[in-house]
């Protein structure tokens, strides 16, 4: 197999000129962490920013609300003294909550669903710098658990099992008993419904762990060498997740093929001209194969460019594209579809000044732009989106639902309560191009009984695997 070398003078696909648009928090704060999720359940991805006040607590969380086309506006919602955030549904309602962790307790911030958030509630001790890495249902009971590591003190990782009502029980899955750094990466290695894990150690080795249920894992050695980071990525659409191991010390990418019978074998090694810092694996061109992005980083800092390499679907990668993004102190990224065009964009942070982040917008072909392509082409909303109007909201007895799109497809509408249970359903129907549908719900369940006052959700499924969810209030 012919392999490529990441040689800067051979990179002729570059974006020059202005840098990506910057989004700012308060001048005296600096960005500590960024995560993304649909925090307000309006069918777009919002940007959640954790910040420090000039290095001194208390800190502030900023939420950049998305208008659906990637135009962001922010509000400060809570005070905290944490160093890392994760977003996910922790309690029994449908709204994503915020969990923070770091130098002290692990804190839960409840999403009230109306644009406000509750006070911070301690849910577990965070002695020895316990850090929440993932919010995921690890045991298949329908409740999201908290996957944690101990940062830089003990080589240990575990799961805080969600028992409901904000009660968590601690399950230590791995405890090496010595100091060091450890990073878990979650994926699916055997096509069941339980998340599996790959563990990375700086001093020791790399293992993968198959989830057998009840928080029991079978551990298998993958690499007998200590790596820096171990993302799980999809290199072959036929099998479950394959594994790529980036070795920071040698600037090599080690590829492991999943043979679909829980046997994972070494496939190939790709040399990279470094010093390289790989930050994300993601399918940037929607071909079912993960690509990756990286920067060139030295002990004194990183260069002013981001590089994106596209998977050629044959266990290799095309020569990377270079994007000038400005000087960086550190290099951190978060990948998500910010503008709703179904292609993943790259959120960048770790700059000077530290109170800003930037977005590289995916152009839909594996390339990136400094300008939001959806914002430039306003016809995107009319031609590719389902326009929905719901009024009145809040409503007392009847709520009207108006639907319009230039596309032809079938539509199915369900009414869900705050726990996600279906309480009513409107029969599926076909919609012709340009046709406007007018539908109403009379506030009654499928048995004809009037539902109680409170929060409900209108879930709209249409076309091929498209779904929208809207919050309504009955009073």
């Amino acid at each position: 197999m012919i392999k490529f070398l990441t040689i800067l003078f051979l990179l002729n696909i570059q974006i020059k000129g202005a840098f990506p648009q910057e989004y700012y928090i308060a001048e005296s704060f600096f960005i500590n962490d960024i995560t993304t999720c649909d925090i307000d359940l309006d069918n777009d991805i919002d940007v959640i920013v954790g910040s420090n006040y000039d290095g001194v607590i208390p800190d502030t969380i900023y939420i950049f609300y998305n208008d659906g086309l990637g135009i962001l506006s922010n509000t400060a919602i809570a005070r905290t003294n944490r160093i890392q955030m994760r977003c996910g549904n922790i309690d029994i309602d449908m709204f994503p909550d915020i969990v923070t962790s770091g130098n002290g307790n692990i804190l839960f911030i409840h999403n009230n669903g109306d644009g406000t958030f509750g006070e911070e509630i301690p849910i577990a001790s965070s002695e020895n710098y316990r850090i929440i890495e993932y919010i995921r249902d690890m045991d298949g009971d329908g409740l999201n658990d908290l996957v944690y590591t101990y940062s830089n003190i003990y080589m240990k990782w575990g799961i805080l099992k969600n028992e409901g009502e904000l009660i968590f029980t601690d399950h230590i899955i791995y405890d090496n008993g010595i100091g060091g750094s450890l990073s878990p990466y979650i994926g699916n290695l055997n096509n069941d419904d339980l998340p599996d894990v790959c563990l990375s150690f700086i001093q020791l080795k790399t293992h993968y762990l198959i989830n057998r249920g009840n928080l029991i894992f079978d551990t298998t050695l993958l690499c007998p060498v200590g790596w820096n980071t171990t993302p799980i990525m999809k290199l072959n659409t036929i099998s479950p997740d394959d594994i790529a191991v980036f070795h920071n010390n040698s600037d090599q990418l080690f590829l492991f093929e999943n043979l679909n019978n829980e046997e994972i074998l070494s496939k190939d090694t790709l040399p990279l001209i470094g010093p390289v810092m790989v930050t994300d694996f993601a399918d940037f061109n929607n071909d079912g194969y993960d690509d990756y992005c990286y920067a060139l980083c030295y002990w004194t800092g990183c260069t002013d460019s981001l590089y994106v390499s596209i998977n050629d679907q044959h266990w290799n990668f095309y020569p990377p594209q270079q994007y000038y993004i400005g000087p960086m102190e550190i290099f951190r990224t978060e990948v998500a579809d910010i503008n709703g065009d179904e292609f993943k964009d790259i959120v960048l942070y770790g700059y000077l000044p530290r109170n800003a982040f930037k977005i590289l917008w995916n152009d839909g072909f594996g390339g990136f732009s400094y300008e939001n392509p959806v914002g430039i082409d306003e016809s995107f909303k009319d031609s590719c989106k389902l326009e929905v109007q719901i009024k009145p909201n809040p409503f007392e007895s009847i709520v009207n639902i108006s639907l319009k799109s230039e596309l032809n497809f079938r539509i199915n509408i369900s009414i869900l309560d705050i726990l996600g249970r279906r309480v009513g359903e409107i029969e599926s129907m076909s919609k012709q191009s340009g046709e406007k549908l007018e539908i109403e719900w009379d506030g009654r369940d499928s048995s004809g009984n009037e539902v109680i006052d409170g929060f409900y959700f209108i879930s709209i499924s249409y076309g091929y695997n498209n779904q929208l969810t809207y919050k309504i209030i009955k009073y």
Side-chain angles (χ1 to χ4, degrees):
M1 179 184 295
I2 300 176
K3 301 178 175 63
F4 72 83
L5 297 178
T6 312
I7 304 176
L8 292 182
F9 61 79
L10 292 180
L11 299 176
N12 54 11
I13 306 176
Q14 303 176 353
I15 295 180
K16 298 183 178 180
F19 293 134
Q21 178 183 354
E22 292 184 324
Y23 301 84
Y24 290 92
I25 60 174
E27 183 175 357
S28 54
F29 286 75
F30 67 87
I31 294 176
N32 208 8
D33 192 23
I34 286 182
T35 189
T36 55
C37 68
D38 185 4
I39 195 74
D40 51 358
L41 291 185
D42 63 348
N43 305 298
D44 52 42
I45 300 299
D46 308 300
V47 179
I48 321 300
V49 178
S51 66
N52 294 104
Y53 180 78
D54 198 21
V56 180
I57 59 174
D59 308 328
T60 299
I61 295 175
Y62 290 84
I63 295 182
F64 284 75
Y65 287 102
N66 196 333
D67 74 341
L69 296 176
I71 300 175
L72 306 177
S73 57
N74 78 79
T75 180
I77 61 102
R79 292 273 174 183
T80 184
N81 59 354
R82 307 301 101 193
I83 63 174
Q84 187 158 319
M85 303 176 307
R86 291 296 179 262
C87 183
N89 189 7
I90 299 299
D91 49 19
I92 59 175
D93 63 19
M94 295 182 63
F95 297 102
D97 308 300
I98 297 175
V99 175
T100 65
S101 55
N103 308 332
N105 290 328
I106 296 173
L107 301 180
F108 164 80
I109 304 175
H110 179 254
N111 185 347
N112 296 326
D114 58 359
T116 64
F117 291 79
E119 297 295 324
E120 297 171 322
I121 301 175
I123 58 176
S125 170
S126 184
E127 70 277 5
N128 298 321
Y129 298 88
R130 185 158 54 179
I131 300 296
I132 300 301
E133 305 280 0
Y134 293 93
I135 298 177
R136 197 74 59 88
D137 182 6
M138 298 299 292
D139 54 1
D141 65 354
L143 296 174
N144 281 329
D145 310 301
L146 307 179
V147 180
Y148 69 84
T149 61
Y150 283 86
S151 174
N152 296 324
I153 294 182
Y154 297 109
M155 194 172 291
K156 181 188 301 185
W157 80 280
I159 296 170
L160 291 172
K161 174 177 167 49
N162 191 343
E163 306 287 358
E165 299 182 353
L166 296 184
I167 298 175
F168 292 82
T169 55
D170 193 1
H171 297 258
I172 297 177
I173 308 299
Y174 183 88
D175 184 358
N176 189 67
I178 63 174
S181 180
L182 177 152
S183 297
Y185 294 87
I186 291 180
N188 191 292
L189 298 175
N190 60 355
N191 277 339
D192 63 10
D193 295 329
L194 297 172
D196 306 304
V197 179
C198 196
L199 283 180
S200 160
F201 308 82
I202 284 185
Q203 286 119 328
L204 297 178
K205 305 171 183 178
T206 300
H207 297 74
Y208 65 90
L209 294 81
I210 302 297
N211 192 340
R212 300 303 185 192
N214 297 318
L215 302 184
I216 298 174
F217 293 81
D218 288 344
T219 303
T220 303
L221 176 67
L222 183 69
C223 304
V225 186
W227 308 127
N228 190 297
T229 183
T230 311
I232 294 180
M233 62 184 298
K234 184 167 288 298
L235 291 160
N236 184 341
T237 57
I238 299 175
S239 70
D241 288 349
D242 304 299
I243 299 176
V245 177
F246 168 63
H247 188 199
N248 187 45
N249 293 336
S250 63
D251 292 309
Q252 296 184 89
L253 195 64
F254 295 85
L255 308 179
F256 296 85
E257 183 176 13
N258 192 333
L259 301 182
N260 206 20
N261 59 356
E262 299 185 6
E263 183 179 8
I264 300 176
L265 301 178
S266 177
K267 178 69 176 181
D268 212 341
T269 301
L270 301 181
L272 308 174
I273 296 299
V276 173
M277 176 59 67
V278 176
T279 62
D280 267 303
F281 289 87
D283 182 5
F284 290 121
N285 57 353
N286 289 0
D287 63 354
Y289 291 79
D290 272 3
D291 317 298
Y292 71 96
C293 60
Y294 67 93
L296 300 181
C297 295
Y298 303 85
W299 288 111
T300 56
C302 300
T303 63
D304 61 356
S305 295
L306 173 76
Y307 301 87
V308 178
S309 187
I310 301 299
N311 195 323
D312 71 354
Q313 304 183 16
H314 299 286
W315 294 92
N316 207 342
F317 294 84
Y318 292 113
Q321 299 183 38
Q322 179 184 6
Y323 302 93
Y324 291 103
I325 55 179
M328 295 175 287
E329 183 180 26
I330 57 175
F331 180 66
R332 301 183 70 180
T333 60
E334 175 79 7
V335 173
D337 177 15
I338 302 298
N339 57 5
D341 63 356
E342 300 184 358
F343 291 95
K344 294 177 180 176
D345 310 301
I346 303 177
V347 180
L348 304 143
Y349 61 110
Y351 293 89
L352 294 174
R354 291 281 300 276
N355 67 322
F357 67 91
K358 305 176 183 180
I359 299 177
L360 270 179
W361 303 97
N362 195 326
D363 64 9
F365 301 97
F368 291 84
S369 170
Y370 292 152
E371 295 183 327
N372 184 350
V374 173
I376 296 171
D377 183 9
E378 294 296 340
S379 64
F380 176 88
K381 180 176 181 180
D382 297 327
S383 62
C384 300
K385 294 272 187 176
L386 177 65
E387 295 185 28
V388 181
Q389 288 187 338
I390 299 174
K391 57 184 181 181
N393 188 20
F395 73 101
E396 183 175 7
S397 58
I398 294 177
V399 59
N400 298 291
I401 308 166
S402 299
L403 308 172
K404 184 179 179 181
S405 175
E406 297 303 318
L407 303 180
N408 301 327
F409 41 65
R410 293 190 63 81
I411 296 175
N412 186 73
I413 302 177
S414 299
I415 309 298
L416 311 176
D417 66 12
I418 196 171
L419 300 181
R421 299 174 300 195
R422 183 179 285 106
V423 298
E425 188 163 0
I426 300 174
E427 293 184 3
S428 62
M429 62 201 76
S430 297
K431 193 204 74 62
Q432 301 301 315
S433 175
E435 178 187 7
K436 186 174 182 179
L437 295 180
E438 298 287 348
I439 304 162
E440 66 178 33
W441 179 52
D442 61 2
R444 298 182 180 275
D445 61 21
S446 55
S447 300
N449 301 315
E450 184 176 357
V451 301
I452 63 174
D453 295 347
F455 285 108
Y456 292 89
F457 297 91
I458 298 176
S459 177
I460 304 173
S461 301
Y462 67 99
Y464 177 72
N465 201 30
N466 296 309
Q467 185 166 340
L468 300 173
T469 303
Y470 295 88
K471 179 181 63 179
I472 57 175
I473 302 174
K474 184 179 182 301
Y475 67 93

